[in-house]
Amino acid sequence: MYIFAWMFISNAFSLNVYDIHKVGHRPVLLIEGDYVYLGGELGLVKLDKTSFNELKFISVQNVWAVLVDDDSNLLIVCSSFGDGESHCHKLTRNFKEKDITSERFMIDLNTPPLYLKCRLSDGIGIMIAAPYIKSFTYGKYSKTIYSLQMGSLDEFSFSSNTVYHLIYNGNMNRLEMRYKAGFVHQQFIYFLYNVYLNDQFIEAKLGKMCASHHKYSSNGFRTSYEDIPLVCYHDNVNYTKIEDGLVLNGTIIVSFSNLESGVICSFSIKELAKRFRDSRMNILRCNQKTGWKNRSFKPDPFSAWNSKTCIHLKNQTCAESMVCNVIKGDFCNTVLYYTIEGVHPTVLSAVYNTTGTVLRHLAKVDSNDMMLIAGTDTGQIVKLNISSIESYTVDVEYEITGSHNIVDLQTQNGTIYILTDSKLQRMAVDDCAFDTDCTGLKSCFNHIRSSMYFCTLALIYIRSVLRNMF
């Protein structure tokens, strides 16, 4: 009876935990269909989503991105050769190499890169953002440093005319962008990032650009990139450092930190659209002695004081039809301007706050727009109820076992996937660890999937063991 009870507990535990030592450090996670893909510095592994049984492993050095090309049903795997040189290539679901590989490029892996898929005008695209990117052309690396690059997965060429680059300013004290989150909403790509100078935090920003509209000319790519600083306010303190963010039900939800405390602010996308419009109109206003000069990215070749390409704020008029689109809020058809940086922050009051912990990760729960899952810097998983747009409340908290360094947090079909630097763990959103009726069993069964069946059997076996002992 002792052995059977222990086998039951061990089996339930193993079904919900996978030791990631095989893929090594800097793990990345993709949950797709019936499978889980894990990459790291030692390779890429494919797991069964239900049992966590290992189905396939390949040795690939320094995997830092895993996505799926929905059009071709192929995996996109980006990896580095160890000296900073990277490339992306396509694999079948069984890890067979396809003859589609991107050009080489240099990327800084000291800060995890941000990568996501987007729908371009001519197909599926991939966006890669990192503090440091250099393209490889004509047998050598370019001197130009990029912060972001976006291109088509069909061509897979990061230096061709189909690629958009967000280029750093060429100054000695170059600001550095450390990207935290990105998502696609309607025709826009949004990304949240923190700005650093000489490793000192400066401010947090929300960047936005059009995914479906970018054109190339002799002057380079022109798209509708713009950004605005974000601040979350609580109890007379401005929280300015972004930890994570997502889009949910027309709202951008962002986790901020300040020392050992954290807050969440909720930004309406409709309201943000107005802020972006006002920011750009103010930057492009007429009657300026000099044109607007970007602080971080390559400056716009058009100057705001040009009478044909500026906006008269008082009566909201302009001479160039493309510029007039700014007044209408139609940034995706404003090819005269790009890389415009906002300076006036959008400040909102917090909808949720913590003391002594920081919310490092946020995840939404399938189609439930009234619930969030958050992961803290102390290894806790928090279920938050969105009682209203102005107030979030804690439902329950649960502490994971092992390492408390949560690397990623994702949900799918009612299951929470928690990736730490040593293990991949899984639990249901309504797990008995979140069930007050099973509170006494948390320490033993915190990895068992939610169901009354498991809780009941666990109680039966433990009761039997205790009866035989006494």
Side-chain angles (χ1 to χ4, degrees), residues 84 121 150 166 172 186 189 214 225 234 256 349 373 399 424:
S121 56
M150 180 176 69
L166 196 55
M172 295 298 292
Q186 296 178 349
I189 300 174
H214 54 273
Y225 169 83
H234 175 71
F256 293 82
S349 296
I373 304 296
E399 185 171 334
L424 174 65

Side-chain angles (χ1 to χ4, degrees), residues 105-382:
F105 55 94
M106 297 285 288
I107 190 167
D108 179 11
L109 295 180
N110 291 319
T111 299
L114 171 68
Y115 57 91
L116 55 89
K117 293 183 299 183
C118 54
R119 175 64 67 175
L120 304 178
S121 56
D122 56 351
I124 295 288
I126 180 174
M127 187 194 83
I128 298 172
Y132 178 102
I133 304 174
K134 277 191 174 184
S135 63
F136 187 86
T137 55
Y138 305 112
K140 61 181 181 180
Y141 284 102
S142 67
K143 294 182 180 180
T144 304
I145 300 176
Y146 307 118
S147 173
L148 180 148
Q149 59 184 17
M150 180 176 69
S152 171
L153 290 182
D154 295 330
E155 296 189 12
F156 237 49
S157 174
F158 289 120
S159 62
S160 72
N161 290 353
T162 62
V163 177
Y164 171 71
H165 292 114
L166 196 55
I167 304 173
Y168 277 121
N169 242 337
N171 51 44
M172 295 298 292
N173 295 321
R174 179 176 58 86
L175 293 170
E176 184 179 271
M177 312 305 159
R178 299 182 185 178
Y179 293 85
K180 305 300 291 185
F183 35 85
V184 179
H185 181 74
Q186 296 178 349
Q187 76 269 38
F188 297 109
I189 300 174
Y190 294 90
F191 34 93
L192 295 159
Y193 61 94
N194 295 318
V195 182
Y196 285 80
L197 177 62
N198 299 325
D199 283 333
Q200 296 296 315
F201 172 76
I202 303 297
E203 62 181 345
K205 283 193 168 186
L206 170 68
K208 185 186 76 169
M209 56 194 292
C210 303
S212 58
H213 182 91
H214 54 273
K215 294 182 179 180
Y216 187 82
S217 71
S218 59
N219 291 325
F221 253 100
R222 296 177 182 171
T223 189
S224 299
Y225 169 83
E226 57 189 334
D227 61 38
I228 51 175
L230 296 182
V231 174
C232 192
Y233 176 83
H234 175 71
D235 199 18
N236 296 321
V237 176
N238 284 334
Y239 290 74
T240 56
K241 188 176 181 180
I242 290 175
E243 296 293 337
D244 198 7
L246 52 81
V247 61
L248 178 65
N249 197 26
T251 302
I252 295 178
I253 301 171
V254 185
S255 170
F256 293 82
S257 66
N258 186 339
L259 300 178
E260 295 182 353
S261 297
V263 293
I264 291 178
C265 265
S266 178
F267 300 87
S268 164
I269 291 180
K270 287 185 178 180
E271 182 60 32
L272 284 172
K274 297 177 183 177
R275 300 291 181 92
F276 274 118
R277 182 196 62 191
D278 294 343
S279 174
R280 178 171 281 218
M281 286 177 61
N282 184 63
I283 290 170
L284 302 181
R285 70 186 185 277
C286 298
N287 304 321
Q288 297 189 79
K289 293 182 179 180
T290 59
W292 175 252
K293 290 180 172 41
N294 286 346
R295 183 171 60 172
S296 307
F297 299 120
K298 188 175 179 179
D300 198 301
F302 293 91
S303 299
W305 47 261
N306 188 317
S307 60
K308 293 183 179 180
T309 57
C310 67
I311 295 174
H312 297 278
L313 286 184
K314 188 173 182 179
N315 53 8
Q316 294 197 2
T317 60
C318 50
E320 168 62 48
S321 60
M322 288 266 184
V323 179
C324 295
N325 287 333
V326 173
I327 300 175
K328 304 172 186 176
D330 185 8
F331 300 145
C332 291
N333 289 302
T334 313
V335 297
L336 287 179
Y337 291 101
Y338 58 95
T339 61
I340 298 227
E341 301 173 25
V343 292
H344 300 295
T346 295
V347 183
L348 286 184
S349 296
V351 296
Y352 176 74
N353 68 283
T354 64
T355 301
T357 59
V358 174
L359 301 177
R360 296 282 191 215
H361 302 277
L362 298 176
K364 53 188 175 183
V365 181
D366 300 324
S367 59
N368 187 343
D369 58 1
M370 299 303 293
M371 182 184 297
L372 280 180
I373 304 296
T376 73
D377 60 340
T378 55
Q380 290 179 315
I381 303 300
V382 182

